[in-house]
Amino acid sequence: MAQALLILVTILVLASCAAKQPATDTPALTAAGPACVYPRDPLDKELDERPREDLSVLTPAEREALGVRTGIDFDLDTMDTEEVQQYFAFFTHRARGTFQAWLGRSEAYLPAVRAALIEHGLPQDLALLPYAESGYNPNAVSRAGAVGMWQFMRGTARKYGLTVDWWVDERRDPSLATHAAARYLADLHGMFGDWYLALAAYNAGEGKISNALEKTNTNDFFDLVDNNDRLRGRAKLREETRHYVPKFIAISKIFQNLDMLGFQCVDWKRAPRLADVNVPGGADLVALAQAVGLTWNQFRDYNPAYLRQVSPPGMRTVAHVPESKLADAQAYLQNPKSRPYAGYTVHTVRGSDSLWKISRRYGVPVAVIKRMNNLSSSKLSKGQQLLVPGGGSARELADEDRASSRKTRKLAQARSNYIVQKDDTLWSISRQYGLSVATLQQANGLTSASRLSVGQRLFIPDQTGKAARQSRQEAEAVHAKLADKGQDRSKAQAKSAEPKPGKTKVVAQAKSTSYKVREGDTLYSIARRFNVSLSELLRWNSLNNGSTIHAGQEIKVLQR
């Protein structure tokens, strides 16, 4: 009864402290870049150790708040140990800015965390534990490899039902991780029968605390700390564990007296109203984000568990979207034409690999590979796996490239306007006509290893560089004519070739073709299929090197 009354008083205090602002669909945090890991706060290292503070700086109001009991009924009289005082002074003075930032960050999650704890029959004050663990950062990663705002290690996370693999890390999902943490905390309390020991075990592991209690013949957290010197080697409790409970108590005292201590109170109404949508395996998450009117970064703010831009194949997952966007998300996922992703492959990095080499191999811009894999730098490690758009295995991709090259060579022979002479090379021909070697190779389905033979027919796409420059005005006139007829605003390059002296000039009219993207297509492969440059294809469709395409998407191609 007393515990219930204390919890009720706590809720009333928090409610009276909350500022009144309308709910919003905008998350309280913005992702700090594609690496998906927030940088450690400069004070984080100090937070792992007991702070050394001058307690004389505490004001009368702060001393009054320090003497207040916490909401959890620990049934202990010595709540204000020296360690508690040190952390209290630390968070209210030297780390005050950090603590205020934590309060602001937590507004997006606190209501749902408190509701989950109530659902599991746990004290609501445990909603303060993520402050001690991560500062309420769902993307936090510790030096030991613990992840998420509840700081789960991989093994414990899997034990409590969280999936951690190459595709997703559900330790980052605030909702899933909170329910897992609630189950874990309930088990720990059932094991030790004491919340202090349960919290210590949450930090150090139940095995470590059980062993320490047995060796010291104690059953109380503070007695265990006092007898820590009796333990030897790895059995000793680390300083972080010995100070974990005092840190939590100090945070609890501050949180329940925010107004008195001059902190900006938590706004419990600021959390976004989210709805869950079931996502099938292999779904294009970028397209899903676009379908509900979100940028990729905004979608990731709501769904930090996704590590790739594609949902895990063969596994249904749950995505969180604003309630106002739920109907759009469901409509997109229920449309069979918009669901498939335009193919991808998983590439395992080899010793000599670089992003540039991988980009060349698969015909995918480096920027796309980096964005799809949330890479903040170009540094790769051997054995690392990358998701690369343009499906199929490496062999299938190679077969597709060979087939595409054969089609290109056949088309080039039909349109040939140059016969290879003795001593000709790709470089000498490209110089003669003012082209790059790459353009000449692309137009004829050739590679750097291709050899020319006398009499071989080649297609020179732009004739000479001089002719291209001279025909620019004519091309612009053709473009204006097309625009007047209501054609697409994309720039159509209607280039004409300057004939030999005495012959009439001919201006090539541009014909627009619509191509529907198929599984496995990339912008590069489409450009090769139609014998146009990638830069032209991007320009005609208002795309850039970082753009991705999807099965069923219409791509415009201008052919001469």
Side-chain angles (χ1 to χ4, degrees):
M1 184 67 179
Q3 181 176 354
L5 182 59
L6 283 170
I7 292 175
L8 178 60
V9 171
T10 300
I11 295 173
L12 291 175
V13 171
L14 293 174
S16 66
C17 187
K20 294 182 179 179
Q21 293 182 4
T24 173
D25 285 338
T26 304
L29 297 175
T30 301
C36 196
V37 177
Y38 288 89
R40 287 176 64 87
D41 188 281
L43 289 167
D44 278 359
K45 185 176 185 300
E46 298 177 66
L47 297 183
D48 291 339
E49 305 166 356
R50 174 187 167 184
R52 310 295 180 189
E53 304 300 312
D54 179 5
L55 299 182
S56 65
V57 300
L58 295 179
T59 66
E62 289 170 346
R63 291 188 179 278
E64 181 182 349
L66 182 58
V68 175
R69 289 177 62 88
T70 57
I72 298 180
D73 187 4
F74 284 119
D75 195 25
L76 284 175
D77 295 327
T78 55
M79 299 288 286
D80 55 346
T81 65
E82 183 182 353
E83 287 77 14
V84 172
Q85 295 178 48
Q86 287 286 335
Y87 276 107
F88 186 94
F90 179 65
F91 287 125
T92 54
H93 287 267
R94 188 151 56 97
R96 186 181 186 88
T98 296
F99 195 84
Q100 185 66 68
W102 289 357
L103 293 172
R105 181 187 291 163
S106 67
E107 289 179 332
Y109 313 108
L110 267 173
V113 170
R114 189 170 68 175
L117 293 172
I118 293 174
E119 179 183 336
H120 288 271
L122 299 178
Q124 299 172 48
D125 301 65
L126 292 174
L128 306 180
L129 195 58
Y131 289 119
E133 285 289 337
S134 65
Y136 256 102
N137 182 353
N139 291 296
V141 179
S142 75
R143 288 189 290 268
V147 171
M149 69 188 196
W150 289 96
Q151 289 289 278
F152 271 106
M153 295 297 288
R154 187 182 296 261
T156 308
R158 288 174 171 165
K159 178 181 177 181
Y160 284 90
L162 299 179
T163 299
V164 181
D165 59 23
W166 191 75
W167 296 93
V168 293
D169 188 344
E170 291 181 341
R171 294 176 294 179
R172 300 175 187 269
D173 186 297
S175 177
L176 295 176
T178 295
H179 284 279
R183 292 192 295 272
Y184 186 27
L185 286 165
D187 286 349
L188 291 174
H189 186 260
M191 183 182 301
F192 295 101
D194 176 277
W195 276 116
Y196 282 165
L197 293 174
L199 292 178
Y202 189 89
N203 176 260
E206 56 267 38
K208 180 105 171 185
I209 299 302
S210 295
N211 183 55
L213 290 172
E214 183 179 348
K215 288 182 180 299
T216 57
N217 194 29
T218 59
N219 58 6
D220 172 83
F221 172 78
F222 288 101
D223 286 345
L224 177 60
V225 170
D226 290 341
N227 286 276
N228 191 53
D229 289 341
R230 292 171 52 191
L231 300 172
R232 294 289 179 266
R234 298 182 65 179
K236 276 182 172 290
L237 300 185
R238 292 175 299 155
E239 186 176 51
E240 177 189 338
T241 301
R242 300 198 305 273
H243 296 150
Y244 187 75
V245 169
K247 184 199 300 189
F248 174 81
I249 295 173
I251 290 172
S252 182
K253 287 175 177 288
I254 294 170
F255 190 87
Q256 294 179 46
N257 296 279
L258 293 175
D259 201 17
M260 179 191 301
L261 296 172
F263 284 97
Q264 183 175 344
C265 292
V266 168
D267 180 2
W268 290 79
K269 296 182 179 180
R270 192 180 172 205
R273 291 191 290 266
L274 300 179
D276 292 344
V277 58
N278 290 319
V279 178
D284 182 349
L285 299 177
V286 175
L288 173 59
Q290 293 171 347
V292 299
L294 299 174
T295 66
W296 173 243
N297 282 341
Q298 288 172 331
F299 182 83
R300 280 294 305 280
D301 282 341
Y302 294 124
N303 299 277
Y306 288 118
L307 302 182
R308 313 292 161 195
Q309 293 183 342
V310 178
S311 66
M315 172 184 171
R316 297 189 73 84
T317 52
V318 174
H320 313 296
V321 297
E323 285 183 351
S324 59
K325 308 289 186 181
L326 177 60
D328 293 333
Q330 291 174 333
Y332 169 78
L333 293 171
Q334 290 168 5
N335 183 352
K337 293 184 179 179
S338 61
R339 184 179 302 168
Y341 186 76
Y344 55 85
T345 187
V346 177
H347 176 85
T348 302
V349 176
R350 293 173 293 189
S352 61
D353 275 347
S354 65
L355 282 177
W356 183 83
K357 286 184 178 180
I358 297 170
S359 169
R360 295 277 293 178
R361 177 178 179 181
Y362 293 100
V364 178
V366 169
V368 173
I369 298 174
K370 290 182 71 174
R371 191 178 68 190
M372 177 161 280
N373 293 276
N374 300 313
L375 300 177
S376 58
S377 73
S378 297
K379 187 176 180 180
L380 302 177
S381 57
K382 187 177 180 180
Q384 181 179 353
Q385 291 185 310
L386 299 175
L387 190 67
V388 183
S393 66
R395 179 175 297 178
E396 290 170 337
L397 287 170
D399 291 343
E400 180 182 318
D401 283 345
R402 283 192 288 271
S404 178
S405 296
R406 285 194 294 270
K407 285 180 64 176
T408 302
R409 285 195 294 272
K410 185 175 180 180
L411 181 61
Q413 288 181 357
R415 303 168 65 188
S416 64
N417 49 13
Y418 182 82
I419 299 176
V420 176
Q421 308 295 316
K422 184 180 179 181
D423 298 328
D424 273 347
T425 64
L426 286 172
W427 184 83
S428 66
I429 297 171
S430 68
R431 294 280 291 178
Q432 180 180 347
Y433 288 97
L435 304 172
S436 69
V437 172
T439 298
L440 194 59
Q441 289 173 332
Q442 186 179 357
N444 291 273
L446 304 175
T447 68
S448 57
S450 300
R451 294 184 178 181
L452 300 181
S453 56
V454 175
Q456 182 178 347
R457 292 182 174 275
L458 298 177
F459 169 60
I460 312 298
D462 296 314
Q463 290 296 320
T464 66
K466 179 180 178 182
R469 289 191 296 272
Q470 289 177 343
S471 65
R472 189 171 297 138
Q473 290 182 344
E474 296 175 9
E476 290 174 354
V478 172
H479 173 69
K481 202 170 185 180
L482 289 171
D484 290 340
K485 291 180 180 180
Q487 298 293 327
D488 190 91
R489 294 181 180 179
S490 298
K491 293 182 179 179
Q493 289 189 332
K495 296 183 178 180
S496 61
E498 180 177 335
K500 295 180 180 179
K503 294 193 176 182
T504 306
K505 288 183 180 180
V506 177
V507 177
Q509 297 277 339
K511 179 182 178 182
S512 178
T513 299
S514 180
Y515 174 76
K516 182 175 289 188
V517 177
R518 294 177 291 187
E519 292 286 342
D521 276 344
T522 65
L523 287 167
Y524 176 75
S525 68
I526 295 172
R528 293 190 64 178
R529 179 178 288 115
F530 288 95
N531 198 32
V532 297
S533 69
L534 178 59
S535 60
E536 287 177 321
L537 192 66
L538 293 174
R539 185 169 62 253
W540 295 333
N541 291 275
S542 300
L543 302 174
N544 56 50
N545 284 331
S547 300
T548 55
I549 56 174
H550 318 286
Q553 181 177 344
E554 297 286 341
I555 296 293
K556 182 185 302 177
V557 182
L558 299 184
Q559 294 181 296
R560 303 176 184 85

